[in-house]
């Protein structure tokens, strides 16, 4: 049996010189190389980091004043490390980090501009439109303090209030009130830019014609949408030709709804939500066809039928354990645990402030609390094993909780 199963004749004609030369070349390359361990990043990880940044550092490039509201165009602050704004789905929001005279908080604001403005690696931007809210510390702070050239810190895009073809109908009736127009402005832009493909009819409720927010912008978007975006303005306090008068009722929705299948999306103030929950029920749509955007902070719960009235009006002690350190603060019955911690200077994590996203997810060590049923977005396992969302949890006595460290 032959020792080798190949023809040795081809090798006998080769010189060893070139092989020895390769050794020298190899050693020279090793000497030239850095002495650190080489690393690499998979493309999927690069994409994930670009889409879901831990923070986005931005500059305020432009401010448009509407009187009781302002639009802020935000661009990357490259010096701080943000090269491009993260891409988002039309209807999503970002959480804005604010330091208001020692009160550190994160507040959610829907991105008003279309996703096209965030595409690419250069000249990317977001637009946030912030409307003054009476007693709203965050909106008052932003409207007073954000100027051109200023800086801010945002989260990555968040939220599920966007069109999903597997669940939503091809025709969408959007019901908006006040600054609740912002997600629909973004959706309309996405449709006009060819990024989204569905038909959008916006029924936008305002008090009078002069108070309509973003009217010119909406008209311009609708004009270039090839008929796929329609805007109907509904005035509650004024009768005027070319406008509907009254409220966003089931009858009005049916007037503008198509004969075929459609979905209803809702975004606006809490009073509008309470009214529309009853009106939308009259339409007898499948549950999957009705979408309410997160309502923001729940507010005073002491008027709830389920709230224990013996706790109303009292003040309790809340002990927050953060990274092993304890700090005790006062919390009124109508305050959330999150609000009390923020006002005491504790940097507690939060994003949606609606009880849904779970970013403030904390362990209840001891004490009794009240969580409004309509704002309780916890998993069943969280309820069972004593985890809460401080953004929608109210004390019914002295409370101790473990709070995750803000990263």
């Amino acid at each position: 049996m032959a020792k080798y199963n190949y023809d040795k004749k081809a090798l006998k004609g080769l010189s060893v010189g070139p092989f020895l030369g390769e050794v020298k070349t190899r050693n020279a390359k090793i000497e030239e190389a850095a002495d650190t361990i080489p690393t690499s990043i998979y493309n999927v990880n690069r994409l994930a980091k670009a889409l879901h940044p831990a923070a986005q550092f931005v500059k305020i490039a432009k401010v448009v004043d509407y009187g009781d509201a302002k639009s802020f165009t935000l661009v990357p602050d490259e010096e701080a490390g943000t090269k491009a704004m993260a891409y988002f789905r039309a209807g999503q929001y970002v959480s804005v980090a604010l330091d208001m005279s020692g009160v550190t908080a994160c507040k959610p604001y829907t991105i008003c501009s279309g996703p096209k403005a965030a595409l690419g690696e250069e000249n990317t931007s977001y637009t946030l439109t912030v409307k003054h809210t009476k007693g709203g510390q965050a909106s008052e702070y932003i409207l007073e303090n954000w100027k051109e050239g200023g800086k801010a810190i945002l989260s990555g895009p968040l939220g599920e209030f966007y069109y999903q073809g597997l669940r939503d109908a091809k025709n969408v009736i959007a019901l908006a009130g006040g600054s609740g127009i912002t997600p629909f402005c973004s959706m309309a832009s996405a449709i006009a830019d060819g990024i989204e493909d569905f038909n959008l009819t916006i029924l936008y409720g305002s008090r009078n014609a002069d108070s309509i927010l973003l009217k010119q912008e909406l008209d311009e978007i609708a004009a270039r949408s090839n008929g796929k975006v329609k805007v109907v303005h509904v005035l509650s306090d004024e009768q005027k030709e070319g406008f509907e008068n009254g409220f966003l009722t089931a009858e009005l929705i049916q007037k503008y709804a198509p004969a075929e299948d459609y979905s209803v999306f809702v975004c606006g103030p809490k009073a509008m939500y309470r009214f529309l929950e009853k009106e939308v029920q009259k339409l007898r749509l499948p549950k999957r066809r009705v979408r309410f955007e997160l309502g923001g902070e729940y507010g005073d719960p002491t008027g709830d039928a389920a709230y224990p009235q013996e706790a109303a009006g009292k003040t309790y002690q809340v002990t927050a354990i953060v990274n092993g350190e304890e700090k005790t603060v006062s919390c009124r019955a109508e305050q959330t645990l999150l609000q009390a911690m923020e006002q005491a200077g504790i940097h507690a994590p939060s994003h949606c402030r609606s009880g849904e996203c779970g970013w403030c997810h904390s362990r209840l060590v001891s004490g009794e609390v009240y969580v409004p049923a309509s704002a309780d977005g916890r998993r069943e396992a969280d309820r069972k094993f004593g985890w809460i969302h401080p953004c929608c949890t109210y004390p019914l006595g002295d409370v101790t909780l473990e709070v995750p460290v803000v990263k």
Side-chain angles (χ1 to χ4, degrees), residues 90-92 110-112 161 179-188 267 293:
Q92 288 191 298
T110 300
I111 305 169
C112 186
F161 192 68
S179 59
I181 191 61
T182 53
F184 303 127
C185 191
S186 182
M187 292 180 195
C267 187
E293 172 60 312

Side-chain angles (χ1 to χ4, degrees), residues 103-127:
V103 177
T104 301
C106 291
K107 296 286 186 174
Y109 289 97
T110 300
I111 305 169
C112 186
S113 50
K116 185 178 180 180
L119 280 174
E121 298 181 356
E122 295 182 351
N123 302 320
T124 58
S125 67
Y126 291 170
T127 297

